[in-house]
Amino acid sequence: MKRKFHKQNKALRPARLFLWLILLAIVFSCKKEKYALVAWTRLESGTRLDLKSLVRINQTDTLFVCGGKREESGIILRSVDLGKSWQVLYERQGISFNKLFFLNAQQGFALGDFLDIYKTSDGGMTWNKTAFSDTVTYNYKVVLRDMVQLNAQLFFVSGGDDFGNGVILKSEDAGEHWTAVITEDHELRSLRFLDSLHGFVCGYGLLMKSNDGGQSWNSTSLSDEFFTGLTFTSSTQGYLCGYNGNLYKTSDAGENWKKLLKGNT
């Protein structure tokens, strides 16, 4: 009986080998397909300035990118063929542009240094500086980094410099005029709202929350880290990242945060 089993087992070896070869072929073909999906091609932008923010307009072939050298020069470019070619639409001396935010194909904003916000109403062909009620001291005239829209008229912007001197600005007329809501001795980075009342802003050493539509902001218990990015995937679930590689998650609209990944310390 053992001899018969041995012969059957020996006879199955070529079939098993053939099966393994098929499986290996499938695995390697899958890997090859996976790597092909993440291939990148270098494009020529026509500028040697640092580029910092890229947006696509409503799933069309139109892209905008901005950048520049801080406190020296800024640039905004547009592509109408998904990045194959680029046209310089606007250049500005004295500031750089750090973030683009478009409402639609015609209306958009570019966030700059020194609390400067530029607006376009003609698809980026012209850009005009918006008005700011100058109620903050010079050390709070910082780099602006993020922007959110709560409704057709109400907008918020966050920014900060060099670990300190953060600010949140507000506009109640669709971005034409801006005032300071708060100034903080912490650089502020990413800004998000869950709904018309509840918002979060993160930065150097703190995570702040608003429960009144951005009119006031208070620090949460999460601190002692430079939080650089914040996003929410639903009304309750959100993610937060930091300088040292740490990642946090909330499942209760920001009431509690759990560390998902411990970074390098």
Side-chain angles (χ1 to χ4, degrees), residues 151-263:
N151 57 49
Q153 299 297 314
L154 184 58
F155 293 75
F156 288 90
V157 166
S158 60
D161 269 342
D162 302 326
F163 307 108
N165 303 334
V167 65
I168 294 179
L169 307 181
K170 175 182 70 173
S171 173
E172 297 180 299
D173 58 4
E176 295 295 335
H177 301 83
W178 298 86
T179 58
V181 178
I182 63 166
T183 56
E184 278 287 324
D185 293 330
H186 298 263
E187 179 181 336
L188 299 179
R189 287 287 186 100
S190 190
L191 177 67
R192 294 291 183 273
F193 274 81
L194 291 172
D195 51 44
S196 61
L197 291 177
H198 303 97
F200 291 87
V201 65
C202 67
Y204 180 64
L206 84 171
L207 174 69
M208 303 183 74
K209 183 179 181 180
S210 174
N211 293 313
D212 56 8
Q215 304 308 308
S216 63
W217 297 81
N218 297 294
S219 296
T220 67
S221 59
L222 206 59
S223 60
D224 299 327
E225 188 171 333
F226 194 167
F227 300 110
T228 55
L230 172 68
T231 190
F232 282 87
T233 58
S234 70
S235 60
T236 57
Q237 185 168 287
Y239 298 86
L240 183 66
C241 64
Y243 245 29
N244 294 320
N246 293 329
L247 286 171
Y248 298 81
K249 179 182 179 180
T250 179
S251 298
D252 56 8
E255 292 297 321
N256 298 281
W257 294 84
K258 179 182 179 181
K259 184 177 286 187
L260 291 180
L261 180 65
K262 186 176 181 181

